[in-house]
Amino acid sequence: DASSVPLLEGAVDAWHAGASSDGMKRNAEYLTPLVDWGAASPVVKALLADPQTSGGLLVAVPAGRAAEYLSRVEGAAEIGEVTERERFAIVVG
């Protein structure tokens, strides 16, 4: 759920001001056949593909333990669920 992903303060403004990286562009190209971006805006797509803000920030825990994890990790947010893969590896809603 793209609307649940916490964004770094100023990231959207920086993107609108032209901030970008070659890594972001390479990641976006690589992800093209793997991700169904749904109605995600260009800025959300860019920020989710940005290697400077995405590395090491995703954790998967069993659904029954999510609340406990969220209560223990400051700033943690539930952004989606892991399901059996269909056409795409990742579906952004």
Side-chain angles (χ1 to χ4, degrees):
D1 179 8
S3 66
S4 297
V5 176
L7 300 176
L8 295 174
E9 185 177 334
V12 172
D13 292 337
W15 187 84
H16 283 297
S20 184
S21 71
D22 287 340
M24 179 191 304
K25 293 170 189 168
R26 285 190 299 274
N27 284 352
E29 183 177 323
Y30 173 80
L31 293 170
T32 297
L34 301 172
V35 178
D36 174 358
W37 290 102
S41 69
V43 68
V44 167
K45 290 180 191 179
L47 294 176
L48 291 179
D50 185 351
Q52 300 173 96
T53 60
S54 61
L57 300 178
L58 186 62
V59 175
V61 298
R65 308 265 329 254
E68 177 187 355
Y69 181 85
L70 293 169
S71 72
R72 293 177 177 230
V73 180
E74 184 178 342
E78 186 172 351
I79 63 165
E81 62 183 330
V82 176
T83 61
E84 187 173 331
R85 181 176 175 164
E86 294 186 13
R87 180 168 180 236
F88 293 98
I90 300 170
V91 177
V92 179

